[in-house]
Amino acid sequence: MRRLYRKKALSLVKELDAFPKVPESYVETTATGGTVSLIAFTAMALLAFFEFFVYRDTWMKYEYEVDKDFSSKLRINIDITVAMKCQHVGADILDLAETMITSNGIQYEPVIFELTPQQRLWHRTLLLIQNRLREEHSLQEVLYKSVLKGAPTALPPREGTATEPLSACRIHGHVYVNKVAGNFHITVGKPVHHPRGHAHIAAFVSHDMYNFSHRIDHLSFGEEIPGIINPLDGTEKIASNHNEMFQYFITVVPTKLLTSKVSADTHQFSVTERERVINHAAGSHGVSGIFMKYDTSSLMVTVSEQHMPLWQFLVRLCGIIGGIFSTTGMIHGFVGFCFDIVCCRFKLGPYKPREVVLPDAHVNNRAAPLLTDNHVQE
């Protein structure tokens, strides 16, 4: 009984075979079939090769949520060069929430405003990258994936010994402020701290010495990441008047960057620029200087690097192989069917009637209808 059940189970399994075995003596091969098979195998190999590179590549996934962290401090990284002497300018940050002034961490360094040929080449390259980033936003993902490998974003040091007078001031460093709207500004005179507000001692600086031509070598928010280019990096403004105001309105978005190379809490930002000449007689009021008004967004963006799983790669690979095999088989069958119809209609190729020589030296066509015995008797 067990053997009988085993035979029945084995026969049932054989009936479910989806891959019937055809003897090789029953299979007919053709030149067209071999050509189509060669093309199909070539297409499979090429697509599988390209699919492997897609599997190795990664993409950035953006997720948005409400920023619930209000107690932490916001770090501002600053590196700005102003075309005035350091004793004539002052920089500070006014926190609008608590109306307090903070300038700890900011350093003043006398430098030369004009760049050397090597530095100017670096600056032009940075401006070209900035223009491409404005036109093609997808390049930012390339920068995210290549962090810690790209070229440094800081201005290269000046080569050789400087012989020109140090008529400019480099203001650089980093400060920590509350995550609320604020105003970082550089104007004439050193800042003075007092409980009722803030002021700059500008009485001893002549208006003829005002020159707020500046170059922003670096400005970022949050943790500083090498290789990331920010919107204002490389910005250079030349003042056409002594009393000129440069304004930058910045919206800061908290960002978490999670890649295979780095995991950091940084900030992206967008900026709107404006500049105007101060002329009180014409109704254009204000203070000459550089003003960067920033505000933080209530949303937080999580940028994570994604990779295709292995099972998905195998499914796509099987789809390529099976799809090409089935498609080329159907195309080959359809072309053969059309070829048979055309040859049959015009009697071409194997469908052309063959001539047969009869014993009485008459030529007869095998495809012509034969005479029956009844017709012969008549």
Side-chain angles (χ1 to χ4, degrees), residues 55 308-318:
Y55 168 71
M308 181 186 297
L310 179 61
W311 66 267
Q312 187 175 356
F313 168 70
L314 296 178
V315 169
R316 292 166 64 99
L317 198 62
C318 293

Side-chain angles (χ1 to χ4, degrees), residues 8-283:
K8 289 183 178 180
L10 185 60
S11 62
L12 180 61
V13 171
K14 288 183 178 180
E15 292 178 359
L16 296 176
D17 187 6
F19 307 97
K21 309 302 185 294
V22 181
E24 295 184 359
S25 59
Y26 294 163
V27 178
E28 182 181 358
T29 58
T30 60
T32 55
T35 304
V36 173
S37 299
L38 183 61
I39 296 174
F41 293 150
T42 305
M44 290 179 192
L46 289 176
L47 292 180
F49 179 75
F50 292 133
E51 187 66 24
F52 176 73
F53 283 97
V54 173
Y55 168 71
R56 292 191 58 186
D57 194 14
T58 58
W59 67 91
M60 307 307 295
K61 181 181 179 180
Y62 295 83
E63 297 178 345
Y64 302 89
E65 59 180 329
V66 177
D67 185 16
K68 301 178 182 179
D69 186 10
F70 301 104
S71 59
S72 63
K73 297 292 185 178
L74 175 63
R75 172 172 169 165
I76 305 179
N77 308 296
I78 304 163
D79 191 352
I80 302 175
T81 303
V82 185
M84 291 180 65
K85 292 185 178 181
C86 291
Q87 61 266 27
H88 296 158
V89 295
D92 60 351
I93 298 177
L94 179 62
D95 190 337
L96 299 182
E98 300 180 5
T99 315
M100 61 179 294
I101 303 172
T102 174
S103 58
N104 297 328
I106 297 179
Q107 302 177 9
Y108 299 85
E109 179 185 352
V111 293
I112 300 174
F113 186 77
E114 296 296 331
L115 299 177
T116 62
Q118 179 184 1
Q119 292 176 329
R120 181 59 62 182
L121 178 61
W122 175 91
H123 185 261
R124 291 176 181 174
T125 305
L126 182 59
L127 292 181
L128 290 177
I129 297 176
Q130 289 283 26
N131 292 333
R132 291 292 303 274
L133 285 173
R134 294 186 183 98
E135 296 175 358
E136 303 179 17
H137 300 284
S138 59
L139 289 180
Q140 187 66 36
E141 297 187 1
V142 178
L143 295 178
Y144 281 151
K145 292 190 289 186
S146 61
V147 293
L148 303 180
K149 292 199 317 181
T153 56
L155 183 69
R158 181 180 294 269
E159 63 275 8
T161 304
T163 57
E164 302 177 13
L166 305 178
S167 59
C169 183
R170 178 191 175 198
I171 303 174
H172 62 96
H174 63 271
V175 294
Y176 291 91
V177 299
N178 296 323
K179 295 179 67 173
V180 293
N183 181 10
F184 168 72
H185 52 273
I186 302 173
T187 186
V188 179
K190 297 298 181 181
V192 177
H193 303 268
H194 59 87
R196 295 187 177 181
H198 79 288
H200 291 259
I201 303 178
F204 301 102
V205 182
S206 174
H207 283 78
D208 296 335
M209 302 181 66
Y210 286 15
N211 184 6
F212 285 100
S213 300
H214 62 279
R215 181 178 59 254
I216 304 176
D217 296 325
H218 180 76
L219 179 67
S220 64
F221 297 83
E223 184 178 350
E224 191 173 0
I225 303 177
I228 297 297
I229 298 177
N230 298 277
L232 286 177
D233 292 352
T235 300
E236 187 176 38
K237 300 289 184 180
I238 304 299
S240 59
N241 192 285
H242 294 292
N243 297 327
E244 194 163 355
M245 174 188 289
F246 297 90
Q247 292 178 305
Y248 300 91
F249 301 94
I250 300 173
T251 301
V252 183
V253 181
T255 305
K256 288 185 177 181
L257 183 60
L258 305 174
T259 66
S260 58
K261 302 178 182 64
V262 65
S263 176
D265 292 333
T266 181
H267 291 72
Q268 302 178 88
F269 66 91
S270 61
V271 60
T272 303
E273 304 176 13
R274 183 188 179 190
E275 57 183 274
R276 61 187 176 92
V277 177
I278 303 301
N279 189 352
H280 299 284

Side-chain angles (χ1 to χ4, degrees), residues 311-338:
W311 66 267
Q312 187 175 356
F313 168 70
L314 296 178
V315 169
R316 292 166 64 99
L317 198 62
C318 293
I320 289 174
I321 297 175
I324 293 179
F325 188 80
S326 302
T327 303
T328 52
M330 290 187 295
I331 294 176
H332 179 252
F334 178 74
V335 172
F337 175 73
C338 296

